[in-house]
Amino acid sequence: FDSKIFRSLSPLILRPGFLTTEYLIGRRVRYIPPLRLYIFISIIFFLIFKFSNPFSGSVMNQDNEMTQDIFDYFADNHWHKVFFILLPLFAVVIYLFYRKTYKDFLPHFIFSLHFHSFLLLLLSFYKVIISYIATEFYTFNKFFFGSVIIAYHIYLFYALNRVFNSRKGVLVLKGVVI
């Protein structure tokens, strides 16, 4: 943990694809390395998921409680496996769609590391909001989750555009498939 984390978090959140392009053109000293950033954010993510308990004490019907129990069980026991598998799988998918831009696999893996780091931050923010602020408002939680999904897709399109610089129509088609 050093000052590079603060220099890296702002562009990671506010400038999709910026850290990847900086890394690929050789400007690496100012920012935390992509794998270290991903590991750091993963630790924060899993700590937040482990120590926050959404809907505790809230009024929900039986179906929502059962759904939440299933989600909690999945989050506690399988999220780390899912992200461990999705990271390289996502990089392979990106490579298949954008191998003409970068012939090597490494740029696609770096993109995947940065994108998943953002995704983990976004999900951490979501978890904190629903666990501590909006525990009583189940409808708000569904709306907020929808907003997270929209933010995820917008971020993906901007990041793909910045790193791989394809035409807008092609970008939308590939982004939807990805």
mmCIF file of all heavy atoms in Angstrom, residues 53-55 60 62-74 127 130 138:
data_model
loop_
_atom_site.group_PDB
_atom_site.id
_atom_site.type_symbol
_atom_site.label_atom_id
_atom_site.label_comp_id
_atom_site.label_asym_id
_atom_site.label_seq_id
_atom_site.Cartn_x
_atom_site.Cartn_y
_atom_site.Cartn_z
ATOM 1 N N ASN A 53 -23.588 -7.441 6.206
ATOM 2 C CA ASN A 53 -24.731 -8.348 6.142
ATOM 3 C C ASN A 53 -25.956 -7.547 5.732
ATOM 4 O O ASN A 53 -26.590 -6.931 6.572
ATOM 5 C CB ASN A 53 -24.960 -9.028 7.491
ATOM 6 C CG ASN A 53 -26.032 -10.087 7.410
ATOM 7 O OD1 ASN A 53 -26.445 -10.470 6.331
ATOM 8 N ND2 ASN A 53 -26.479 -10.546 8.549
ATOM 9 N N PRO A 54 -26.290 -7.541 4.435
ATOM 10 C CA PRO A 54 -27.429 -6.749 4.011
ATOM 11 C C PRO A 54 -28.736 -7.303 4.550
ATOM 12 O O PRO A 54 -28.854 -8.493 4.823
ATOM 13 C CB PRO A 54 -27.390 -6.844 2.487
ATOM 14 C CG PRO A 54 -26.743 -8.147 2.230
ATOM 15 C CD PRO A 54 -25.742 -8.331 3.349
ATOM 16 N N PHE A 55 -29.656 -6.423 4.689
ATOM 17 C CA PHE A 55 -31.018 -6.757 5.083
ATOM 18 C C PHE A 55 -31.131 -7.309 6.490
ATOM 19 O O PHE A 55 -32.130 -7.871 6.854
ATOM 20 C CB PHE A 55 -31.660 -7.760 4.108
ATOM 21 C CG PHE A 55 -31.591 -7.294 2.697
ATOM 22 C CD1 PHE A 55 -30.828 -7.983 1.767
ATOM 23 C CD2 PHE A 55 -32.265 -6.176 2.291
ATOM 24 C CE1 PHE A 55 -30.763 -7.560 0.459
ATOM 25 C CE2 PHE A 55 -32.194 -5.745 0.986
ATOM 26 C CZ PHE A 55 -31.446 -6.435 0.072
ATOM 27 N N MET A 60 -38.707 -8.029 5.177
ATOM 28 C CA MET A 60 -38.811 -8.572 3.836
ATOM 29 C C MET A 60 -39.760 -9.749 3.886
ATOM 30 O O MET A 60 -39.949 -10.374 4.931
ATOM 31 C CB MET A 60 -37.447 -9.061 3.330
ATOM 32 C CG MET A 60 -36.451 -7.966 3.111
ATOM 33 S SD MET A 60 -34.955 -8.466 2.249
ATOM 34 C CE MET A 60 -34.657 -10.114 2.761
ATOM 35 N N GLN A 62 -40.949 -13.657 2.723
ATOM 36 C CA GLN A 62 -40.207 -14.923 2.789
ATOM 37 C C GLN A 62 -39.420 -15.196 1.515
ATOM 38 O O GLN A 62 -38.301 -15.701 1.565
ATOM 39 C CB GLN A 62 -41.172 -16.069 3.068
ATOM 40 C CG GLN A 62 -40.476 -17.359 3.417
ATOM 41 C CD GLN A 62 -41.461 -18.418 3.868
ATOM 42 O OE1 GLN A 62 -42.656 -18.247 3.746
ATOM 43 N NE2 GLN A 62 -40.942 -19.504 4.387
ATOM 44 N N ASP A 63 -39.976 -14.860 0.334
ATOM 45 C CA ASP A 63 -39.260 -15.095 -0.923
ATOM 46 C C ASP A 63 -37.973 -14.272 -0.983
ATOM 47 O O ASP A 63 -36.933 -14.760 -1.408
ATOM 48 C CB ASP A 63 -40.141 -14.747 -2.119
ATOM 49 C CG ASP A 63 -41.287 -15.734 -2.299
ATOM 50 O OD1 ASP A 63 -41.169 -16.867 -1.788
ATOM 51 O OD2 ASP A 63 -42.285 -15.361 -2.946
ATOM 52 N N ASN A 64 -38.050 -13.018 -0.570
ATOM 53 C CA ASN A 64 -36.865 -12.163 -0.599
ATOM 54 C C ASN A 64 -35.816 -12.649 0.387
ATOM 55 O O ASN A 64 -34.626 -12.576 0.109
ATOM 56 C CB ASN A 64 -37.231 -10.706 -0.296
ATOM 57 C CG ASN A 64 -38.015 -10.081 -1.424
ATOM 58 O OD1 ASN A 64 -37.973 -10.556 -2.549
ATOM 59 N ND2 ASN A 64 -38.751 -9.030 -1.123
ATOM 60 N N GLU A 65 -36.247 -13.133 1.559
ATOM 61 C CA GLU A 65 -35.285 -13.662 2.526
ATOM 62 C C GLU A 65 -34.579 -14.885 1.982
ATOM 63 O O GLU A 65 -33.376 -15.042 2.148
ATOM 64 C CB GLU A 65 -35.991 -13.988 3.839
ATOM 65 C CG GLU A 65 -36.384 -12.761 4.633
ATOM 66 C CD GLU A 65 -37.155 -13.104 5.899
ATOM 67 O OE1 GLU A 65 -37.274 -14.310 6.215
ATOM 68 O OE2 GLU A 65 -37.627 -12.167 6.547
ATOM 69 N N MET A 66 -35.332 -15.776 1.309
ATOM 70 C CA MET A 66 -34.725 -16.967 0.748
ATOM 71 C C MET A 66 -33.757 -16.583 -0.376
ATOM 72 O O MET A 66 -32.657 -17.124 -0.465
ATOM 73 C CB MET A 66 -35.788 -17.914 0.214
ATOM 74 C CG MET A 66 -35.236 -19.289 -0.118
ATOM 75 S SD MET A 66 -36.491 -20.532 -0.327
ATOM 76 C CE MET A 66 -37.025 -20.190 -1.967
ATOM 77 N N THR A 67 -34.136 -15.639 -1.223
ATOM 78 C CA THR A 67 -33.253 -15.171 -2.282
ATOM 79 C C THR A 67 -31.984 -14.580 -1.690
ATOM 80 O O THR A 67 -30.882 -14.837 -2.172
ATOM 81 C CB THR A 67 -33.974 -14.122 -3.150
ATOM 82 O OG1 THR A 67 -35.152 -14.705 -3.683
ATOM 83 C CG2 THR A 67 -33.087 -13.645 -4.278
ATOM 84 N N GLN A 68 -32.122 -13.803 -0.633
ATOM 85 C CA GLN A 68 -30.959 -13.196 0.005
ATOM 86 C C GLN A 68 -30.070 -14.258 0.640
ATOM 87 O O GLN A 68 -28.851 -14.171 0.575
ATOM 88 C CB GLN A 68 -31.385 -12.167 1.053
ATOM 89 C CG GLN A 68 -30.232 -11.358 1.586
ATOM 90 C CD GLN A 68 -29.514 -10.583 0.498
ATOM 91 O OE1 GLN A 68 -30.144 -10.009 -0.371
ATOM 92 N NE2 GLN A 68 -28.202 -10.580 0.535
ATOM 93 N N ASP A 69 -30.674 -15.283 1.252
ATOM 94 C CA ASP A 69 -29.873 -16.368 1.822
ATOM 95 C C ASP A 69 -29.062 -17.094 0.749
ATOM 96 O O ASP A 69 -27.902 -17.428 0.961
ATOM 97 C CB ASP A 69 -30.778 -17.371 2.551
ATOM 98 C CG ASP A 69 -31.361 -16.814 3.831
ATOM 99 O OD1 ASP A 69 -30.819 -15.809 4.348
ATOM 100 O OD2 ASP A 69 -32.364 -17.373 4.305
ATOM 101 N N ILE A 70 -29.677 -17.333 -0.399
ATOM 102 C CA ILE A 70 -28.976 -17.991 -1.506
ATOM 103 C C ILE A 70 -27.834 -17.109 -1.992
ATOM 104 O O ILE A 70 -26.714 -17.571 -2.216
ATOM 105 C CB ILE A 70 -29.958 -18.318 -2.651
ATOM 106 C CG1 ILE A 70 -30.931 -19.410 -2.207
ATOM 107 C CG2 ILE A 70 -29.207 -18.748 -3.910
ATOM 108 C CD1 ILE A 70 -32.090 -19.616 -3.147
ATOM 109 N N PHE A 71 -28.113 -15.807 -2.147
ATOM 110 C CA PHE A 71 -27.074 -14.868 -2.583
ATOM 111 C C PHE A 71 -25.928 -14.822 -1.579
ATOM 112 O O PHE A 71 -24.761 -14.847 -1.964
ATOM 113 C CB PHE A 71 -27.670 -13.470 -2.772
ATOM 114 C CG PHE A 71 -26.653 -12.450 -3.173
ATOM 115 C CD1 PHE A 71 -26.217 -12.374 -4.479
ATOM 116 C CD2 PHE A 71 -26.113 -11.572 -2.245
ATOM 117 C CE1 PHE A 71 -25.274 -11.447 -4.862
ATOM 118 C CE2 PHE A 71 -25.168 -10.647 -2.611
ATOM 119 C CZ PHE A 71 -24.746 -10.585 -3.922
ATOM 120 N N ASP A 72 -26.248 -14.747 -0.286
ATOM 121 C CA ASP A 72 -25.208 -14.701 0.740
ATOM 122 C C ASP A 72 -24.352 -15.966 0.716
ATOM 123 O O ASP A 72 -23.132 -15.904 0.837
ATOM 124 C CB ASP A 72 -25.815 -14.510 2.126
ATOM 125 C CG ASP A 72 -26.362 -13.112 2.333
ATOM 126 O OD1 ASP A 72 -25.984 -12.206 1.559
ATOM 127 O OD2 ASP A 72 -27.166 -12.937 3.262
ATOM 128 N N TYR A 73 -24.984 -17.121 0.566
ATOM 129 C CA TYR A 73 -24.245 -18.379 0.501
ATOM 130 C C TYR A 73 -23.308 -18.374 -0.710
ATOM 131 O O TYR A 73 -22.128 -18.724 -0.604
ATOM 132 C CB TYR A 73 -25.211 -19.568 0.404
ATOM 133 C CG TYR A 73 -24.497 -20.867 0.150
ATOM 134 C CD1 TYR A 73 -23.852 -21.536 1.191
ATOM 135 C CD2 TYR A 73 -24.442 -21.419 -1.121
ATOM 136 C CE1 TYR A 73 -23.167 -22.722 0.953
ATOM 137 C CE2 TYR A 73 -23.759 -22.597 -1.362
ATOM 138 C CZ TYR A 73 -23.131 -23.243 -0.320
ATOM 139 O OH TYR A 73 -22.458 -24.412 -0.564
ATOM 140 N N PHE A 74 -23.834 -17.949 -1.868
ATOM 141 C CA PHE A 74 -23.016 -17.896 -3.076
ATOM 142 C C PHE A 74 -21.859 -16.923 -2.900
ATOM 143 O O PHE A 74 -20.717 -17.236 -3.242
ATOM 144 C CB PHE A 74 -23.876 -17.489 -4.270
ATOM 145 C CG PHE A 74 -23.091 -17.381 -5.546
ATOM 146 C CD1 PHE A 74 -22.755 -18.517 -6.263
ATOM 147 C CD2 PHE A 74 -22.664 -16.151 -6.021
ATOM 148 C CE1 PHE A 74 -22.032 -18.428 -7.429
ATOM 149 C CE2 PHE A 74 -21.929 -16.051 -7.183
ATOM 150 C CZ PHE A 74 -21.615 -17.192 -7.889
ATOM 151 N N LYS A 127 -22.397 -2.926 -2.453
ATOM 152 C CA LYS A 127 -22.583 -3.710 -1.230
ATOM 153 C C LYS A 127 -22.649 -2.809 -0.006
ATOM 154 O O LYS A 127 -23.473 -3.030 0.889
ATOM 155 C CB LYS A 127 -21.438 -4.716 -1.097
ATOM 156 C CG LYS A 127 -21.533 -5.618 0.095
ATOM 157 C CD LYS A 127 -22.669 -6.596 -0.043
ATOM 158 C CE LYS A 127 -22.563 -7.645 1.051
ATOM 159 N NZ LYS A 127 -23.638 -8.606 0.995
ATOM 160 N N ILE A 130 -26.142 -0.970 -0.057
ATOM 161 C CA ILE A 130 -27.306 -1.782 0.322
ATOM 162 C C ILE A 130 -27.194 -2.345 1.727
ATOM 163 O O ILE A 130 -28.192 -2.664 2.345
ATOM 164 C CB ILE A 130 -27.589 -2.925 -0.688
ATOM 165 C CG1 ILE A 130 -26.483 -3.969 -0.677
ATOM 166 C CG2 ILE A 130 -27.847 -2.384 -2.060
ATOM 167 C CD1 ILE A 130 -26.866 -5.256 -1.350
ATOM 168 N N TYR A 138 -36.160 -2.388 -0.212
ATOM 169 C CA TYR A 138 -35.863 -3.458 -1.155
ATOM 170 C C TYR A 138 -36.032 -2.984 -2.600
ATOM 171 O O TYR A 138 -35.234 -3.327 -3.465
ATOM 172 C CB TYR A 138 -36.758 -4.664 -0.871
ATOM 173 C CG TYR A 138 -36.387 -5.878 -1.675
ATOM 174 C CD1 TYR A 138 -35.200 -6.559 -1.431
ATOM 175 C CD2 TYR A 138 -37.208 -6.336 -2.699
ATOM 176 C CE1 TYR A 138 -34.839 -7.664 -2.169
ATOM 177 C CE2 TYR A 138 -36.851 -7.440 -3.447
ATOM 178 C CZ TYR A 138 -35.674 -8.099 -3.174
ATOM 179 O OH TYR A 138 -35.329 -9.195 -3.914
#
